[in-house]
């Protein structure tokens, strides 16, 4: 589709499985393979570097690399490798993650996350898109240039400039506003479409206007499955997504979206119905084609796994690939 890029969240237990999933998504015709990051899960930039030579056209996206555990220049190192192996195919999504994980796992103090994210994005964009960065903020600092190997005598020095798009995670208005102002796009997660249309798109537009530029891309994480078994879809949705309202930021987002039951960590069937695209192939395709009318530029598909119907995931990936190739 002209106005919609379609990617999928690739899941596997190990590096080999993730690479196989990316290759399969590439062969299916999907536009982007997205990997999550955090904790001790496989490092996504390393996976993408390995997958680059085994794929032909698919883009790579991180959703997300947490900002606190790594200095932005350390992330730049990995991003440069992926861009050199697969030029123009990397969407580098970063974000502060959540207080319990950052403080509990890493021991970092989770303070002023949006300020931290703003400085992090500033460093990434300067280094990756301008080839040099000189930045001293309240949370971060960086002095570096991306230099190629020494040139022959008499040859002018050159800087490396990548084609990497620098994106950030967002759940609530201030984060979307920041993405509209600074980033190359915003990445939602487990956020219902009506909430994105009502809150995310206007906030991004406001941030972009303040910066004097066009609104950047909105990447919408959308759980999806081709199945008319509503009960099986609900059971899968509850099992695979039901824990999110237990996290404070997600709970607040769901309450903003009109679901007060999220205040006590509940994931209701109404929440699932608002979030998941399901139904026949025709019904699912129609809803996906309508996403741009809500301001969505890329669908980050989270394919639900149905107990008792393992073929549902394959049907869904096949449909997503076909839709991605529509012109």
């Amino acid at each position: 589709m002209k106005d919609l890029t379609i990617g999928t969240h690739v899941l596997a237990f190990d590096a080999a499985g993730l690479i196989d999933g990316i290759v399969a998504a590439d062969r299916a015709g999907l536009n982007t393979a997205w990997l999550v990051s955090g904790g001790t899960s496989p490092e996504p930039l390393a996976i993408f570097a390995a997958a680059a030579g085994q794929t032909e056209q698919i883009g790579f996206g991180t959703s997300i690399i947490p900002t606190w555990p790594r200095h932005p220049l350390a992330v730049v190192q990995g991003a440069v490798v992926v861009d050199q192996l697969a030029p123009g195919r990397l969407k580098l999504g970063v974000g502060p993650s959540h207080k319990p994980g950052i403080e509990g796992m890493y021991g970092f103090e989770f303070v002023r996350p949006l300020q931290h994210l703003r400085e992090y994005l500033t460093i990434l964009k300067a280094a990756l898109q301008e080839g040099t960065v000189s930045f001293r903020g309240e949370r971060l600092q960086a002095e570096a240039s991306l230099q190629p190997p020494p040139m022959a005598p008499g040859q002018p020095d050159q800087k490396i400039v990548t084609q990497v798009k620098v994106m950030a995670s967002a759940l609530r208005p201030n984060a979307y506003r920041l993405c509209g102002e600074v980033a190359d796009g915003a990445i939602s997660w487990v956020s219902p479409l009506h909430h994105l249309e009502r809150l995310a798109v206007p906030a991004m537009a406001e941030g972009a206007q303040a910066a004097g530029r066009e609104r950047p891309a909105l990447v919408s994480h959308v759980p999806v499955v081709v199945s008319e078994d509503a009960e099986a879809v609900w059971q899968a949705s509850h099992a695979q997504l039901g824990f999110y309202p237990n996290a404070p930021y997600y709970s607040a987002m769901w309450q903003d979206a009109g679901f007060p039951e999220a205040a006590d960590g509940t994931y209701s069937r109404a929440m699932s119905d608002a979030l998941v695209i399901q139904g026949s192939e025709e019904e699912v395709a129609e809803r996906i084609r309508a996403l741009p009318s809500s301001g969505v530029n890329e669908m980050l598909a989270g394919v639900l796994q149905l107990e008792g119907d393992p073929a549902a995931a394959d049907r869904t990936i096949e449909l997503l690939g076909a839709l991605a190739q529509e012109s």
Side-chain angles (χ1 to χ4, degrees):
M1 284 174 284
K2 291 181 180 179
D3 299 323
L4 184 69
T5 299
I6 298 179
T8 187
H9 173 202
V10 178
L11 283 166
F13 292 109
D14 57 17
L18 289 170
I19 293 170
D20 288 345
I22 294 168
V23 171
D26 181 59
R27 291 174 178 169
L30 286 158
N31 303 127
T32 314
W34 291 88
L35 293 181
V36 298
S37 175
T40 57
S41 61
E43 208 292 312
L45 296 177
I47 298 294
F48 289 146
Q54 301 183 42
T55 54
E56 296 182 1
Q57 57 81 35
I58 198 164
F60 306 130
T62 61
S63 179
I64 58 162
I65 293 176
T67 57
W68 255 279
R70 298 191 224 182
H71 190 277
L73 291 181
V75 175
V76 164
Q77 289 179 288
V80 167
V81 172
V82 176
D83 189 67
Q84 290 177 350
L85 296 174
R89 288 162 63 183
L90 178 61
K91 297 169 184 175
L92 182 65
V94 301
S97 190
H98 300 270
K99 182 181 179 76
I102 295 300
E103 293 191 345
M105 178 173 290
Y106 299 104
F108 293 113
E109 187 178 10
F110 193 82
V111 177
R112 307 220 32 205
L114 285 183
Q115 181 187 54
H116 189 269
L117 179 58
R118 177 184 290 275
E119 295 186 3
Y120 206 99
L121 289 169
T122 300
I123 293 170
L124 287 180
K125 286 179 67 68
L128 290 169
Q129 298 175 1
E130 299 172 20
T132 186
V133 58
S134 178
F135 180 84
R136 290 181 178 271
E138 293 187 35
R139 304 288 166 184
L140 295 165
Q141 65 181 55
E143 296 282 345
S145 294
L146 303 185
Q147 298 286 353
M151 303 293 289
Q155 293 293 317
D157 291 338
Q158 296 180 355
K159 292 182 294 187
I160 295 174
V161 178
T162 75
Q163 302 176 59
V164 176
K165 292 183 174 64
V166 178
M167 299 183 167
S169 62
L171 276 178
R172 307 195 71 196
N174 286 340
Y176 284 113
R177 199 170 291 113
L178 173 61
C179 288
E181 181 185 350
V182 178
D184 297 323
I187 306 169
S188 78
W189 198 262
V190 194
S191 299
L193 183 62
H194 74 266
H195 175 68
L196 297 178
E197 184 175 9
R198 179 180 63 85
L199 184 147
V201 173
M204 290 182 70
E206 182 181 338
Q209 184 177 19
R213 64 178 190 148
E214 296 294 319
R215 174 179 73 82
L218 173 59
V219 179
S220 174
H221 170 245
V222 182
V224 59
V225 64
V226 175
S227 173
E228 298 180 72
D229 187 341
E231 187 62 30
V233 173
W234 158 239
Q235 293 299 328
S237 176
H238 189 271
Q240 295 165 42
L241 305 170
F243 61 90
Y244 279 102
N246 290 304
Y249 287 169
Y250 284 106
S251 177
M253 178 275 296
W254 276 110
Q255 292 175 68
D256 289 346
F259 297 93
E261 61 267 37
D264 63 4
T266 296
Y267 180 72
S268 67
R269 188 153 186 169
M271 293 162 69
S272 178
D273 290 343
L275 181 65
V276 178
I277 291 181
Q278 64 186 81
S280 67
E281 286 193 10
E282 293 76 13
E283 291 169 330
V284 170
E286 182 178 359
R287 290 187 62 186
I288 291 173
R289 292 189 183 106
L291 289 175
S293 65
S294 298
V296 173
N297 304 100
E298 175 160 358
M299 176 189 188
L300 197 175
V303 179
L304 292 182
Q305 306 293 318
L306 301 189
E307 187 174 352
D309 186 7
D314 293 334
R315 293 195 302 270
T316 306
I317 289 292
E318 184 177 354
L319 175 62
L320 291 172
L323 291 172
Q325 296 305 305
E326 288 185 358
S327 59

